[in-house]
Amino acid sequence: MIYSHQEITAFVSKCLGGLDVELSTLHATGNMTARIEDGGSDTLLTAKVGDKEYVVKMKSKAFDDNVGATMNYDGSDTFKQYFDEGKSIFYIRDSYNREQRAYSILLSLKEHFPTIYGAESDGTRSIILMDKIDIDRSPKDDSLADVLYKIHSMSSSEETMREWGINIHTERDYINATALSNALLDGVSRAYPNFPKRIVSRACDFVANYKQNYQKMVGYGRCLCHGDLTINNLSTKGQIKLYDLELATYNNREFDLISYLVHYPIELNESIVESFLASYYKRMGSCIKEREDALKHNLLIYLTTRFHAMMMITLKLNMPYMETSIKNYIFLFNYFAL
């Protein structure tokens, strides 16, 4: 595994003041990344110190290669080449060391994130100690909309994002990922014969114009985004609490909104979509109609920079929630009449 139990115990003890530490595997529902890390589920642990439990989370640079292998449908060397060339289209660049930075810049909203007790990195791996929060997956869409709007309003400066260590996509990232995204969409078409061909076709057209679509994305305005906003990465018990910030990215605010809706815990309907989006947009003095083009654009960005890979990964890694997520993606595609 990334860190030995001896190293982990020493780290936790140092963070909390030299106390005895008892470690056990944390079984987190819906967690994909921990299972792909070197060491698998043992990279997400519960640390019990006295009567209190904490979470120890570890990541490494090796995750990049592991996730690439998991989405490689045919196990082909050609796909490996495409992945090496285009993997920056995903949100994994330096993700092993991003989460601790993201938490540190969100201190003004600390009530909506787990408390961090310590974090370390040696350039190839990282470890972080945080509160173990009580989990409730019941949607509280209005409360979430409020927290999201506050996060998205923190800064819109690319310079600030770079200083904060947030992932920033470039035009070159998009262009370099053309072959990779086409390969993933081809895999989706073959592995999911019932997935609508019109969606795959529209996505292929989008990839063929990656450069222009990147520029269009920039034109909608970017901000700090969670980058992996799903019901599995938050708790609604008491105040909304978000976690798993290693994919934090400078992106359109609509990317987070679309991500949340795609991975909604039940199948979507018009009422859910309209209520959540209206709740968010009223906070910025706007409405769904005024941001409809940005929503449509990010629905395609989400498919061609993340969701196509997730669809391939779930063929090898059991992610039961993806069945509903795929249905929700199709619903949103039809809802926005793309």
Side-chain angles (χ1 to χ4, degrees), residues 129-144:
L129 178 68
M130 65 185 76
D131 268 334
K132 185 177 183 181
I133 61 176
D134 293 331
I135 300 296
D136 189 336
R137 307 289 191 204
S138 306
K140 291 183 180 178
D141 292 349
D142 186 64
S143 296
L144 177 62

Side-chain angles (χ1 to χ4, degrees), residues 20-132:
D20 290 336
V21 180
E22 179 183 340
L23 299 177
S24 60
T25 299
L26 173 63
H27 298 287
T29 60
N31 187 286
M32 178 185 79
T33 56
R35 287 179 285 166
I36 303 176
E37 267 293 359
D38 278 7
S41 59
D42 278 344
T43 59
L44 193 62
L45 302 175
T46 295
K48 187 174 182 181
V49 180
D51 294 329
K52 185 174 172 62
E53 290 186 333
Y54 304 82
V55 171
V56 180
K57 183 176 180 179
M58 293 157 279
K59 290 191 67 63
S60 74
K61 283 188 172 181
F63 176 82
D64 290 16
D65 292 335
N66 294 346
V67 76
T70 308
M71 68 179 72
N72 188 348
Y73 183 56
D74 299 312
S76 71
D77 290 337
T78 301
F79 184 91
K80 293 177 184 177
Q81 178 185 338
Y82 293 161
F83 182 81
D84 288 341
E85 292 172 353
K87 64 181 179 181
S88 291
I89 196 65
F90 305 130
Y91 301 79
I92 59 176
R93 178 168 43 207
D94 296 328
S95 63
Y96 80 97
N97 197 29
R98 181 168 297 115
E99 187 159 17
Q100 59 178 302
R101 294 182 179 185
Y103 285 126
S104 69
I105 63 178
L106 289 162
L107 289 177
S108 62
L109 299 173
K110 62 183 179 180
E111 69 272 20
H112 296 298
F113 299 94
T115 299
I116 305 302
Y117 297 93
E120 291 181 359
S121 173
D122 64 8
T124 61
R125 58 182 186 165
S126 65
I127 185 169
I128 188 168
L129 178 68
M130 65 185 76
D131 268 334
K132 185 177 183 181

